[in-house]
């Protein structure tokens, strides 16, 4: 082992490998089980080796947020801006659905890393090419991210939150309500049987996109 490696720079140990191992550990055992010592054991190194790449656990958590966010496409590559935002939103939701134990981390931790800032800048540039001024584009991105996070939190049951409206069991219960007392609610539930929460997400997504296409505030 070289002198530099003795200070924590182990062969084959990269920041990306550490982040992936941290995400995997949280997926299996929950976010509360994540520690620098436990992560070092997972990677077969001493915890001090991790500090060469991440100076603190806080920095590691920031990196995990950035790693998850990076899974979604942010450049539309000439596609219509609506299709670009649809692809971004669906990819983000798929990522969070694959890592439900990490949803609380994204809810509680602002995405303030340089990587996340670059991602936001790229989104705003893509929306700017479609004619949206920066402030409106930023509002659009925040509104979309809010929808994604709330839906993911409900789906993951974060903090004991109820399952999202449209979940099969809930829909069945609503469909079974007495039609004499709740005629519209029972009819709506029966008509929507089998759609599931993803359909509700798609409905809200399309509603947002339609609103985004409207005139700016004050127009």
């Amino acid at each position: 082992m070289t002198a530099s490696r003795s200070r924590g720079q182990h062969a084959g140990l990269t920041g990306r490998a550490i982040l992936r191992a941290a995400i995997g550990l949280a997926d299996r055992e929950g976010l509360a089980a994540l520690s620098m010592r436990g992560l070092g054991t997972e990677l077969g190194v001493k915890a001090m080796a991790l500090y060469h790449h991440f100076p603190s656990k806080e920095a590691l958590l920031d990196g995990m947020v950035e790693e998850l966010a990076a899974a979604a496409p942010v450049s539309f590559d000439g596609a219509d801006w609506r299709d670009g935002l649809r692809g971004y939103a669906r990819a983000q939701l798929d990522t969070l659905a694959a890592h439900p134990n990490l949803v609380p981390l994204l809810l509680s931790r602002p995405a303030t890393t340089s990587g996340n800032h670059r991602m936001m800048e790229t989104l705003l540039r893509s929306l700017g090419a479609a004619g949206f001024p920066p402030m409106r584009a930023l509002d659009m991105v925040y509104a979309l991210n809010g929808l994604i996070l709330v839906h993911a939190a409900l789906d993951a049951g974060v903090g004991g939150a109820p399952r999202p409206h449209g979940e099969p069991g809930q829909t069945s219960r609503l469909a079974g309500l007495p039609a004499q007392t709740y005629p519209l609610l029972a009819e709506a539930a029966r008509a929507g049987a089998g759609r599931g929460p993803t359909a509700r997400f798609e409905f809200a997504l399309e509603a947002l996109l339609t609103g985004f296409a409207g005139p700016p505030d004050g127009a």
Side-chain angles (χ1 to χ4, degrees):
M1 181 178 291
T2 66
S4 61
R5 289 181 187 171
S6 68
R7 293 194 297 270
Q9 196 173 21
H10 288 248
L13 187 63
T14 65
R16 189 76 181 277
I18 293 169
L19 291 174
R20 288 178 174 175
I23 290 171
L25 183 59
D27 283 341
R28 294 194 314 273
E29 301 182 22
L31 197 58
L34 180 63
S35 68
M36 299 300 270
R37 178 176 294 181
L39 183 56
T41 300
E42 179 86 359
L43 289 162
V45 300
K46 292 186 180 299
M48 288 304 298
L50 307 180
Y51 289 102
H52 180 82
H53 300 273
F54 299 96
S56 65
K57 184 178 177 180
E58 297 298 302
L60 174 70
L61 294 175
D62 283 341
M64 292 168 68
V65 171
E66 182 177 307
E67 182 74 9
L68 291 174
V74 294
S75 179
F76 304 160
D77 293 328
D80 178 79
W81 65 268
R82 297 170 187 81
D83 290 335
L85 289 183
R86 283 188 191 99
Y88 167 80
R90 290 166 181 165
Q92 287 281 15
L93 187 64
D94 287 345
T95 297
L96 295 183
H99 303 283
N101 286 344
L102 292 173
V103 173
L105 178 63
L106 276 79
L107 285 170
S108 62
R109 197 167 201 84
T112 56
T113 67
S114 58
N116 279 305
H117 291 159
R118 286 192 297 271
M119 181 187 74
M120 296 285 282
E121 182 72 15
T122 301
L123 276 171
L124 265 59
R125 187 180 302 114
S126 296
L127 290 170
F132 295 101
M135 186 179 76
R136 184 171 174 86
L138 185 60
D139 284 345
M140 291 163 64
V141 173
Y142 277 140
L144 198 57
N145 284 342
L147 171 66
I148 295 163
L149 283 173
V150 167
H151 187 88
L154 289 171
D155 197 46
V158 172
R163 295 286 294 175
H165 298 298
E167 187 266 344
Q170 184 187 47
T171 301
S172 298
R173 288 190 294 274
L174 292 177
L177 290 172
Q180 298 88 344
T181 308
Y182 307 102
L184 299 180
L185 188 55
E187 179 185 349
R190 287 194 298 271
R195 291 175 69 221
T198 300
R200 303 284 193 227
F201 174 79
E202 291 291 334
F203 173 82
L205 175 59
E206 292 305 317
L208 272 182
L209 294 177
T210 299
F212 291 161
D217 293 339

